[in-house]
Amino acid sequence: MKTTTFLHVARDAWWLLAPLLLIGLSLSVYWGSALPWLLAGLLCLGLGALARDADRRVPPLPMGLVAPVDGVIVHRRECHDPYLDRAAIRLTIRVNRFGVYYLRAPTEGTLMEVKARRQCRHAHQASWIQTDEGDDVLLVVGEGSLLGQRPCNAGFGQRVGQGRRCGPRRFARTMDMYIPANCRVEVELGQKVRAGTDVVATMVHNVSKIEAAAAA
């Protein structure tokens, strides 16, 4: 997904910030007072802080799964993945509202379609990334909303890159990661993580599985 920022503020926010600044300037000229302009500027500063974004340096670890958002690890447990009907590890990150605005893809792979199941409350807000080695990683909005979008809002069948921007976090309050059960978790409860930079888990492969995936 290609995204652009201006002054390190997400493009989505400028559709709101630019009209606010224009309205503030117009009212200041009409009333002959700088107060509307100052109020609009302060409001834009606050909204810009919520929508700020910056480039991140992705660690050179192909098997590493990086954090999709800035936040704190609040849940870590082996569980049943209701989306793909498998054993998995669930990591939950409480989103930092003042963290980077765009979500980062945990790993490189292809976006697959998540089929809605009765027990999946947030299937419409889930993204399934399948790696070239056949590992499945899911991102699900546990609390909050992406206003109808999925975490990775590219089309099904398209590729995403490890640590690359894949969609806006908008009003997501928690982000769940369902990762393969044989992953080695690298984070602890209460640990702060940075999107696209901090490795939360490492995928563990045996040689035969890698060779089989390469042959296919």
Coordinates of all heavy atoms in Angstrom, one line a residue, residues 54-104:
A54 N 5.5 8.5 10.8 CA 6.9 8.7 10.5 C 7.4 7.4 10.0 O 6.8 6.3 10.2 CB 7.6 9.1 11.8
D55 N 8.5 7.4 9.2 CA 9.1 6.2 8.7 C 9.8 5.5 9.9 O 10.2 6.0 10.8 CB 10.2 6.6 7.7 CG 9.6 7.1 6.4 OD1 8.4 6.8 6.1 OD2 10.2 7.9 5.7
R56 N 9.8 4.1 9.7 CA 10.4 3.3 10.7 C 11.4 2.4 10.1 O 11.2 2.0 8.9 CB 9.3 2.4 11.4 CG 8.3 3.3 12.3 CD 9.0 3.7 13.6 NE 8.3 4.6 14.4 CZ 7.3 4.3 15.3 NH1 6.9 3.1 15.4 NH2 6.7 5.3 16.0
R57 N 12.5 2.1 10.8 CA 13.5 1.2 10.3 C 13.1 -0.3 10.6 O 13.1 -0.6 11.8 CB 14.9 1.5 10.9 CG 16.0 0.6 10.4 CD 17.3 1.1 10.8 NE 17.6 2.4 10.1 CZ 18.8 3.0 10.3 NH1 19.7 2.5 11.0 NH2 19.0 4.2 9.6
V58 N 12.8 -1.1 9.6 CA 12.4 -2.5 9.8 C 13.7 -3.3 10.1 O 14.6 -3.3 9.4 CB 11.7 -3.0 8.6 CG1 11.2 -4.4 8.8 CG2 10.5 -2.1 8.2
P59 N 13.6 -4.2 11.2 CA 14.8 -5.0 11.5 C 15.0 -6.0 10.4 O 14.0 -6.6 9.8 CB 14.4 -5.6 12.8 CG 12.9 -5.6 12.8 CD 12.5 -4.3 12.1
P60 N 16.3 -6.4 10.1 CA 16.6 -7.4 9.0 C 16.4 -8.8 9.5 O 17.3 -9.6 9.5 CB 18.0 -7.1 8.7 CG 18.6 -6.6 9.9 CD 17.5 -5.8 10.6
L61 N 15.1 -9.1 9.9 CA 14.8 -10.5 10.4 C 13.6 -11.0 9.6 O 12.4 -10.8 9.9 CB 14.5 -10.4 11.9 CG 15.6 -9.9 12.8 CD1 15.1 -9.7 14.2 CD2 16.8 -10.9 12.8
P62 N 13.8 -11.8 8.5 CA 12.7 -12.2 7.7 C 11.7 -13.1 8.4 O 10.5 -13.0 8.1 CB 13.5 -13.1 6.6 CG 14.9 -12.6 6.6 CD 15.2 -12.2 8.0
M63 N 12.1 -13.8 9.4 CA 11.2 -14.7 10.2 C 10.6 -13.9 11.4 O 9.8 -14.5 12.1 CB 11.9 -15.9 10.7 CG 12.3 -16.9 9.5 SD 10.9 -17.4 8.6 CE 11.5 -17.3 6.9
G64 N 11.0 -12.7 11.6 CA 10.4 -11.9 12.7 C 9.1 -11.3 12.4 O 8.8 -10.9 11.2
L65 N 8.2 -11.3 13.3 CA 6.9 -10.6 13.2 C 7.0 -9.3 14.0 O 7.2 -9.3 15.2 CB 5.8 -11.5 13.8 CG 5.6 -12.8 13.1 CD1 4.5 -13.6 13.8 CD2 5.2 -12.6 11.6
V66 N 6.8 -8.2 13.3 CA 7.0 -6.9 13.9 C 5.6 -6.4 14.4 O 4.5 -6.8 13.9 CB 7.6 -5.8 13.0 CG1 9.0 -6.2 12.6 CG2 6.7 -5.6 11.7
A67 N 5.6 -5.5 15.4 CA 4.4 -5.0 15.9 C 3.6 -4.2 14.8 O 4.2 -3.4 14.1 CB 4.7 -4.1 17.1
P68 N 2.3 -4.3 14.7 CA 1.6 -3.6 13.7 C 1.2 -2.1 14.2 O 0.9 -1.3 13.3 CB 0.3 -4.4 13.6 CG 0.1 -5.1 14.9 CD 1.5 -5.3 15.4
V69 N 1.3 -1.9 15.5 CA 0.9 -0.6 16.0 C 1.8 -0.2 17.2 O 2.5 -1.1 17.8 CB -0.6 -0.5 16.5 CG1 -1.6 -0.6 15.4 CG2 -0.8 -1.6 17.6
D70 N 1.9 1.1 17.5 CA 2.5 1.5 18.7 C 1.6 1.2 19.9 O 0.4 1.5 19.8 CB 2.8 3.0 18.7 CG 3.9 3.4 17.7 OD1 4.6 2.5 17.3 OD2 4.1 4.6 17.5
G71 N 2.1 0.6 20.9 CA 1.2 0.4 22.1 C 1.9 -0.5 23.1 O 3.1 -0.6 23.2
V72 N 1.1 -1.2 23.9 CA 1.5 -2.0 25.0 C 0.9 -3.4 24.9 O -0.3 -3.5 24.6 CB 1.1 -1.4 26.4 CG1 1.5 -2.3 27.5 CG2 1.7 0.0 26.5
I73 N 1.7 -4.4 25.1 CA 1.2 -5.8 25.1 C 0.4 -6.0 26.4 O 0.9 -5.9 27.5 CB 2.4 -6.8 25.1 CG1 3.3 -6.6 23.9 CG2 1.9 -8.3 25.1 CD1 2.7 -6.8 22.6
V74 N -0.9 -6.4 26.2 CA -1.8 -6.6 27.3 C -2.3 -8.0 27.4 O -3.0 -8.3 28.4 CB -3.0 -5.6 27.3 CG1 -2.5 -4.1 27.4 CG2 -3.8 -5.7 26.0
H75 N -2.1 -8.8 26.4 CA -2.6 -10.2 26.4 C -1.6 -11.1 25.6 O -1.1 -10.7 24.5 CB -4.0 -10.3 25.8 CG -4.6 -11.6 25.8 ND1 -5.3 -12.1 26.9 CD2 -4.5 -12.7 24.9 CE1 -5.7 -13.3 26.6 NE2 -5.3 -13.7 25.4
R76 N -1.3 -12.2 26.2 CA -0.4 -13.2 25.5 C -0.8 -14.6 26.0 O -0.6 -14.9 27.1 CB 1.1 -12.9 25.9 CG 2.0 -14.0 25.5 CD 3.4 -13.7 26.1 NE 4.2 -14.9 26.0 CZ 5.5 -14.9 26.4 NH1 6.1 -13.9 26.9 NH2 6.2 -16.1 26.3
R77 N -1.4 -15.4 25.0 CA -1.8 -16.7 25.5 C -2.0 -17.6 24.3 O -2.4 -17.2 23.2 CB -3.2 -16.5 26.2 CG -3.8 -17.8 26.7 CD -5.0 -17.5 27.6 NE -4.7 -16.7 28.8 CZ -5.6 -16.2 29.6 NH1 -6.8 -16.5 29.4 NH2 -5.2 -15.5 30.6
E78 N -1.8 -18.9 24.5 CA -2.1 -19.9 23.5 C -3.6 -20.0 23.4 O -4.3 -20.0 24.5 CB -1.5 -21.2 23.8 CG 0.0 -21.2 23.7 CD 0.7 -22.6 24.0 OE1 -0.1 -23.5 24.2 OE2 1.9 -22.7 24.0
C79 N -4.2 -20.2 22.2 CA -5.7 -20.2 22.1 C -6.1 -20.9 20.8 O -5.2 -21.4 20.1 CB -6.2 -18.8 22.1 SG -5.8 -17.9 20.6
H80 N -7.4 -21.0 20.6 CA -7.9 -21.5 19.3 C -8.2 -20.3 18.5 O -8.9 -19.4 18.9 CB -9.2 -22.3 19.6 CG -9.8 -22.8 18.3 ND1 -10.9 -22.1 17.8 CD2 -9.5 -23.8 17.4 CE1 -11.3 -22.7 16.6 NE2 -10.4 -23.7 16.4
D81 N -7.7 -20.3 17.3 CA -8.0 -19.2 16.3 C -9.3 -19.4 15.7 O -9.5 -20.3 14.9 CB -6.9 -19.1 15.3 CG -7.1 -18.1 14.2 OD1 -8.1 -17.4 14.3 OD2 -6.3 -18.0 13.3
P82 N -10.4 -18.6 16.0 CA -11.7 -18.9 15.4 C -11.8 -18.5 14.0 O -12.8 -18.9 13.3 CB -12.6 -18.0 16.3 CG -11.7 -16.9 16.7 CD -10.4 -17.5 16.9
Y83 N -10.9 -17.7 13.5 CA -10.9 -17.3 12.1 C -10.4 -18.3 11.1 O -11.0 -18.5 10.0 CB -10.1 -16.0 11.9 CG -10.7 -14.9 12.8 CD1 -10.2 -14.7 14.1 CD2 -11.6 -14.0 12.3 CE1 -10.7 -13.7 14.9 CE2 -12.1 -13.0 13.1 CZ -11.6 -12.8 14.4 OH -12.1 -11.8 15.2
L84 N -9.3 -19.0 11.5 CA -8.8 -20.0 10.6 C -8.9 -21.4 11.2 O -8.4 -22.4 10.6 CB -7.3 -19.7 10.3 CG -7.0 -18.4 9.6 CD1 -5.5 -18.2 9.4 CD2 -7.8 -18.3 8.3
D85 N -9.6 -21.6 12.3 CA -9.8 -22.9 13.0 C -8.5 -23.6 13.2 O -8.3 -24.7 12.6 CB -10.8 -23.7 12.1 CG -11.3 -24.9 12.8 OD1 -11.3 -24.9 14.1 OD2 -11.8 -25.8 12.2
R86 N -7.7 -23.1 14.0 CA -6.3 -23.7 14.2 C -5.9 -23.3 15.6 O -6.4 -22.4 16.3 CB -5.3 -23.2 13.2 CG -5.2 -21.6 13.3 CD -4.1 -21.0 12.6 NE -4.1 -19.6 12.7 CZ -3.0 -18.8 12.5 NH1 -1.9 -19.3 12.1 NH2 -3.1 -17.5 12.7
A87 N -4.8 -24.1 16.1 CA -4.2 -23.7 17.3 C -3.3 -22.5 17.0 O -2.6 -22.4 15.9 CB -3.4 -24.8 17.9
A88 N -3.2 -21.5 17.9 CA -2.5 -20.3 17.6 C -2.1 -19.6 18.9 O -2.4 -20.1 20.0 CB -3.3 -19.3 16.8
I89 N -1.3 -18.6 18.8 CA -1.0 -17.7 19.9 C -1.6 -16.3 19.7 O -1.5 -15.8 18.6 CB 0.6 -17.5 20.1 CG1 1.2 -18.9 20.4 CG2 0.9 -16.5 21.2 CD1 2.7 -18.8 20.4
R90 N -2.3 -15.8 20.7 CA -2.9 -14.5 20.5 C -2.2 -13.5 21.3 O -2.0 -13.7 22.5 CB -4.4 -14.6 21.0 CG -5.1 -13.3 21.0 CD -6.5 -13.4 21.6 NE -7.1 -12.1 21.9 CZ -8.2 -12.0 22.6 NH1 -8.8 -13.0 23.2 NH2 -8.7 -10.8 22.8
L91 N -1.7 -12.5 20.6 CA -1.1 -11.3 21.3 C -2.0 -10.1 21.1 O -2.5 -9.8 20.0 CB 0.2 -11.0 20.7 CG 1.3 -12.1 20.8 CD1 2.6 -11.6 20.0 CD2 1.7 -12.3 22.2
T92 N -2.3 -9.4 22.2 CA -3.2 -8.2 22.1 C -2.4 -7.0 22.5 O -1.7 -7.0 23.5 CB -4.4 -8.3 23.0 OG1 -5.1 -9.5 22.7 CG2 -5.3 -7.1 22.9
I93 N -2.5 -6.0 21.6 CA -1.7 -4.7 21.8 C -2.8 -3.6 22.1 O -3.7 -3.4 21.2 CB -0.9 -4.3 20.6 CG1 0.1 -5.5 20.3 CG2 -0.1 -3.0 20.9 CD1 0.9 -5.3 19.0
R94 N -2.6 -2.9 23.2 CA -3.4 -1.7 23.4 C -2.8 -0.6 22.7 O -1.7 -0.2 22.9 CB -3.6 -1.4 24.9 CG -4.5 -0.2 25.2 CD -4.8 0.0 26.7 NE -3.6 0.2 27.5 CZ -3.2 -0.6 28.5 NH1 -3.9 -1.7 28.8 NH2 -2.1 -0.3 29.1
V95 N -3.6 0.0 21.8 CA -3.0 1.0 20.9 C -2.8 2.3 21.6 O -3.6 2.8 22.3 CB -4.0 1.2 19.7 CG1 -3.5 2.3 18.7 CG2 -4.3 -0.1 18.9
N96 N -1.6 2.9 21.3 CA -1.2 4.2 21.8 C -1.9 5.2 20.8 O -1.5 5.3 19.6 CB 0.3 4.4 21.8 CG 0.7 5.7 22.2 OD1 -0.1 6.6 22.5 ND2 2.0 5.9 22.3
R97 N -2.8 6.0 21.3 CA -3.5 7.0 20.5 C -2.6 8.0 19.9 O -2.9 8.6 18.8 CB -4.6 7.7 21.3 CG -5.7 6.8 21.9 CD -6.4 6.0 20.8 NE -7.0 6.8 19.8 CZ -7.4 6.4 18.6 NH1 -7.2 5.1 18.2 NH2 -8.0 7.2 17.8
F98 N -1.5 8.3 20.5 CA -0.5 9.2 20.0 C 0.6 8.6 19.2 O 1.7 9.2 19.0 CB 0.0 10.2 21.1 CG -1.1 11.1 21.6 CD1 -1.8 10.7 22.8 CD2 -1.4 12.2 21.0 CE1 -2.8 11.5 23.3 CE2 -2.4 13.1 21.5 CZ -3.1 12.7 22.7
G99 N 0.5 7.3 18.9 CA 1.5 6.6 18.2 C 1.3 6.9 16.7 O 0.5 7.7 16.3
V100 N 2.1 6.2 15.9 CA 2.0 6.4 14.4 C 0.6 6.1 13.9 O 0.0 5.2 14.4 CB 3.1 5.6 13.6 CG1 4.5 6.2 13.9 CG2 3.0 4.1 14.0
Y101 N 0.2 6.8 12.9 CA -1.2 6.7 12.4 C -1.4 5.4 11.6 O -2.5 4.8 11.6 CB -1.6 7.9 11.7 CG -3.0 7.9 11.2 CD1 -4.1 8.1 12.0 CD2 -3.3 7.7 9.8 CE1 -5.4 8.1 11.6 CE2 -4.6 7.7 9.3 CZ -5.6 7.9 10.2 OH -6.9 8.0 9.8
Y102 N -0.4 5.1 10.8 CA -0.6 3.9 9.9 C -0.2 2.6 10.5 O 0.9 2.5 11.2 CB 0.2 4.1 8.6 CG -0.5 5.1 7.6 CD1 0.1 6.4 7.4 CD2 -1.7 4.9 7.0 CE1 -0.4 7.3 6.6 CE2 -2.3 5.8 6.2 CZ -1.7 7.0 5.9 OH -2.2 7.9 5.1
L103 N -1.0 1.6 10.3 CA -0.6 0.2 10.7 C 0.5 -0.3 9.9 O 0.7 0.1 8.7 CB -1.8 -0.7 10.6 CG -3.1 -0.4 11.4 CD1 -4.3 -1.1 10.8 CD2 -2.8 -0.8 12.8
R104 N 1.3 -1.2 10.4 CA 2.4 -1.8 9.7 C 2.1 -3.3 9.6 O 1.6 -3.9 10.6 CB 3.7 -1.6 10.5 CG 4.6 -0.5 10.0 CD 4.0 0.9 10.1 NE 4.9 1.9 9.9 CZ 4.7 3.2 9.9 NH1 3.5 3.6 10.3 NH2 5.6 4.1 9.7

